[in-house]
Amino acid sequence: MEIKQQLSDLIFSKGELKKNVYQSTKTSFELFRHTARTIVSALQEENRKKGSNLVFEFTDRGDFEFEIRFASDLLIFMMHSNVFEFSRNHEVMKSSYIRENPDRSYCGVIHVYNFLSDSFLYQRDNDLGYLIGRIFVNSENHYFIEGKRELGMLYNNFNTSVINQESVMSIVESAIEYTTNFDLLTPPYDEIKVVSVGEMRNSFDKKSMVTAKRLGFRFQADTDA
């Protein structure tokens, strides 16, 4: 039985495109991993020079994940193993860069999450983390970032932004800077002034207590960051 040539061409062309996007994203992720490790080493050296006892750690968690800990914060970088395309209504699809070649809209994704380091240290499973940015990388090593404030505003030129050592260093430093300035705030008093007996009993178990940088706030709009 022969496969229709049109179907065969579609399968192979789309398959090759997604394979190239995956390889580009994986190479970029390894650059992020190396850069994050280098930054943590530099912070550790600075920590020793200052005679401080702050904690700076890099932890490798396999092919698709690593984390960096600095002081009270934790950043987790995670690469998704699949390839995605922007929706037709996404702003990036209106750019001349995509209109010239629609294949450029296929991207791999690297997510960057922020947690409190104590959440993992004390196994507080109900604590919340936040996605502060997601990095889209296409087969041409161009990238685009959707994210909070610094990340979202500084790295959104898909046409000209290319993944390299300099750009990755800048992105990781911006993520650390944003996280450091994104402080832990107390929730509004009126939202926590009443507590049930069950909640108080459960609070004796650290895993049942919920802590987050914007607990009780509308973080999505970034109104209180």
Side-chain angles (χ1 to χ4, degrees):
M1 183 180 67
E2 293 185 0
I3 300 176
K4 291 182 180 179
Q5 190 61 48
Q6 184 177 5
L7 176 59
S8 177
D9 291 344
L10 173 63
I11 293 173
F12 279 92
S13 64
K14 186 64 71 68
E16 283 296 318
L17 171 61
K18 290 185 176 181
K19 183 182 72 174
N20 291 337
V21 171
Y22 172 85
Q23 291 296 340
S24 180
T25 308
K26 191 68 171 68
T27 299
S28 299
F29 187 70
E30 293 308 317
L31 186 54
F32 273 97
R33 192 198 306 271
H34 172 75
T35 302
R37 192 194 303 268
T38 300
I39 289 175
V40 170
S41 294
L43 290 171
Q44 289 172 337
E45 180 61 26
E46 188 69 17
N47 196 40
R48 284 191 291 270
K49 289 180 180 179
K50 292 180 180 296
S52 177
N53 61 353
L54 296 179
V55 176
F56 299 96
E57 294 178 347
F58 173 93
T59 304
D60 214 329
R61 298 199 176 278
D63 291 342
F64 301 101
E65 182 179 342
F66 67 85
E67 69 181 47
I68 56 176
R69 179 182 175 187
F70 45 100
S72 61
D73 279 293
L74 192 73
L75 283 179
I76 296 179
F77 289 73
M78 299 180 65
M79 174 186 160
H80 203 291
S81 62
N82 293 113
V83 173
F84 300 86
E85 184 184 21
F86 291 105
S87 69
R88 295 178 180 177
N89 297 326
H90 197 285
E91 190 67 26
V92 77
M93 297 295 283
K94 302 174 185 178
S95 68
S96 59
Y97 177 67
I98 298 298
R99 290 199 301 268
E100 290 170 2
N101 184 357
D103 286 352
R104 292 167 173 167
S105 66
Y106 288 85
C107 295
V109 186
I110 299 170
H111 296 88
V112 185
Y113 291 93
N114 173 217
F115 290 89
L116 297 168
S117 59
D118 278 1
S119 298
F120 287 84
L121 180 63
Y122 298 114
Q123 299 181 353
R124 298 195 305 240
D125 295 340
N126 290 327
D127 281 8
L128 304 178
Y130 298 100
L131 177 66
I132 66 169
R134 52 181 185 171
I135 306 156
F136 297 91
V137 183
N138 70 9
S139 62
E140 297 179 348
N141 289 318
H142 282 232
Y143 72 92
F144 173 85
I145 299 182
E146 289 182 336
K148 294 295 181 181
R149 292 196 177 177
E150 287 90 344
L151 291 176
M153 291 189 296
L154 295 178
Y155 309 101
N156 60 3
N157 194 336
F158 203 21
N159 296 27
T160 59
S161 298
V162 178
I163 288 285
N164 54 38
Q165 180 65 64
E166 183 179 358
S167 61
V168 169
M169 177 67 78
S170 179
I171 293 168
V172 176
E173 288 179 341
S174 294
I176 293 174
E177 180 181 1
Y178 175 80
T179 301
T180 302
N181 287 326
F182 178 32
D183 293 318
L184 180 65
L185 299 184
T186 58
Y189 178 83
D190 287 341
E191 292 189 12
I192 60 171
K193 66 181 180 181
V194 178
V195 60
S196 70
V197 172
E199 289 171 332
M200 183 54 66
R201 288 183 182 275
N202 288 335
S203 72
F204 294 127
D205 175 8
K206 292 179 181 178
K207 293 185 179 181
S208 70
M209 299 172 65
V210 180
T211 306
K213 288 193 173 184
R214 292 297 185 269
L215 190 62
F217 291 94
R218 295 184 59 192
F219 176 79
Q220 291 83 352
D222 225 7
T223 54
D224 296 291

